[in-house]
Amino acid sequence: MFHQVSRFVSRFRDLEQQDFTNTTEEERQWRLLKEKLSLPDVPEPLETVTRKCIAVTSLYPQAGASFIAGNVAYAWAAKGIPVTLCELPNHTSYFYFALDYERRVRSFKNLSPTSLILMQNNQLRIQIETPSHVHPESSQIDIASWILRLNKESSIVFIDVSSNWNKNEAKQIFELADEIWVVLDADIARLTRLFLIESAPGWWLSGKNKVKIIANKWNAQLARTTVLKKVEGTLSLWGTSSSQVDYQVPLIDQEKAAAAHVKANFLLELFPEEESEFQSLMHVHKGRML
């Protein structure tokens, strides 16, 4: 056995001393390998999204515009997408109270007119106008500059317009937004009354490619074709531009929703497993950041 090992080692040493000539292909591969090894380590780029401004409104109070805007913004930020969530300028903030701003913010020194709540490893920026800093509604604000500034800070900007869709600031926002999410709920009688009494706003008629209808609190009974046809028939009273339901968000467990409200949290802060209920809205448009 010793002699066999000795012969093997001797043979290995003889081969080691011989010169080997690489082929042209081997030389090329070796050169590429050395070039790659000489480059500094650069992490793979994160998933990017096209910068976008989304205005979320409801046609009447309590339909769920703030609920939709807040939870979808929270969910996208969880995926590493920089998101800014804000509200209609010059109006008393809903999120100031809904998220218990004073509990979340440690210090109130040197407050700017717009204060921030940071969540999801600072990927979610919630801009809040505190009650003491709200301007009279008659004051002017350059909406275009305001939106441009917000878009520089985040890939996606959510503007919660709530049910203030007929305000002047809202109309300007709708003109500049990339998408307009219109939230309605299961109160079809209230929806029908609104469409019969009110005239179709300009942004509804001109925003054919921007307006997306979201049916919120939509259970299996409401998802039937006959009910959807009734809703879409009502929507058509304002013209045919936006007469179909684009997305449905199921009715959330009411005990969970109530618990989140009481504790001044987003639903997904307390119950991340409920993110699946928002999947129809989790459509991120991939691409290079502008």
Side-chain angles (χ1 to χ4, degrees):
M1 181 67 179
F2 172 79
H3 295 295
Q4 291 177 338
V5 172
S6 179
R7 286 198 301 272
F8 172 79
V9 171
S10 298
R11 177 59 178 163
F12 178 82
R13 294 303 180 194
D14 291 340
L15 291 172
E16 191 177 39
Q17 298 300 318
Q18 295 181 15
D19 293 330
F20 289 93
T21 303
N22 292 329
T23 65
T24 303
E25 179 61 20
E26 290 172 336
E27 286 289 347
R28 188 182 69 83
Q29 294 289 348
W30 177 244
R31 186 172 62 257
L32 289 175
L33 178 61
K34 289 194 294 183
E35 289 175 356
K36 289 181 179 180
L37 292 174
S38 65
L39 294 174
D41 290 335
V42 178
E44 288 294 322
L46 296 175
E47 182 180 68
T48 59
V49 296
T50 303
R51 292 189 183 277
K52 175 173 290 189
C53 176
I54 301 173
V56 186
T57 188
S58 54
L59 297 173
Y60 38 76
Q62 305 302 316
S66 299
F67 177 80
I68 294 293
N71 282 289
V72 175
Y74 187 88
W76 276 356
K79 300 182 183 301
I81 300 169
V83 180
T84 292
L85 173 64
C86 56
E87 298 169 89
L88 190 67
N90 296 336
H91 286 70
T92 303
S93 171
Y94 166 77
F95 289 119
Y96 177 88
F97 302 99
L99 297 176
D100 196 351
Y101 173 85
E102 295 189 12
R103 172 178 61 85
R104 292 177 183 263
V105 177
R106 296 179 180 177
S107 173
F108 289 87
K109 295 178 180 179
N110 301 320
L111 279 178
S112 61
T114 299
S115 302
L116 286 176
I117 292 177
L118 299 176
M119 295 185 183
Q120 299 289 40
N121 295 321
N122 296 342
Q123 293 288 62
L124 175 57
R125 300 164 56 91
I126 305 174
Q127 294 204 352
I128 293 179
E129 291 190 19
T130 60
S132 60
H133 289 114
V134 173
H135 306 290
E137 291 193 19
S138 59
S139 65
Q140 298 296 315
I141 179 173
D142 188 337
I143 296 295
S145 297
W146 178 68
I147 291 179
L148 180 61
R149 184 173 68 253
L150 294 174
N151 264 129
K152 287 181 178 179
E153 297 170 351
S154 301
S155 302
I156 298 177
V157 174
F158 273 101
I159 304 176
D160 175 23
V161 178
S162 293
S163 57
N164 300 302
W165 53 269
N166 57 348
K167 299 292 185 181
N168 288 330
E169 296 95 337
K171 294 173 184 177
Q172 295 176 58
I173 289 170
F174 293 151
E175 289 179 6
L176 297 170
D178 298 296
E179 291 186 6
I180 305 170
W181 291 7
V182 179
V183 181
L184 53 89
D185 64 7
D187 193 340
I188 300 175
R190 184 164 58 161
L191 178 70
T192 304
R193 178 179 179 274
L194 172 72
F195 272 67
L196 288 173
I197 293 176
E198 297 281 354
S199 300
W203 55 267
W204 177 278
L205 298 172
S206 62
K208 180 177 180 179
N209 298 322
K210 297 199 300 185
V211 174
K212 309 296 180 184
I213 305 298
I214 299 172
N216 188 32
K217 309 173 191 176
W218 222 247
N219 58 29
Q221 180 85 4
L222 295 168
R224 294 184 307 173
T225 303
T226 52
V227 177
L228 287 175
K229 288 294 184 183
K230 184 175 182 179
V231 171
E232 291 172 356
T234 301
L235 295 174
S236 68
L237 294 174
W238 272 4
T240 58
S241 295
S242 308
S243 59
Q244 67 177 20
V245 174
D246 297 286
Y247 307 107
Q248 298 177 31
V249 176
L251 180 66
I252 302 295
D253 185 313
Q254 293 302 292
E255 291 187 5
K256 291 183 177 180
H261 284 306
V262 169
K263 295 183 178 181
N265 292 113
F266 287 126
L267 174 77
L268 295 184
E269 278 189 276
L270 292 184
F271 307 103
E273 69 276 8
E274 294 295 322
E275 182 182 315
S276 60
E277 304 293 6
F278 298 89
Q279 284 305 309
S280 64
L281 295 171
M282 299 297 292
H283 62 298
V284 178
H285 295 258
K286 300 177 182 178
R288 303 295 297 178
M289 287 188 186
L290 300 179

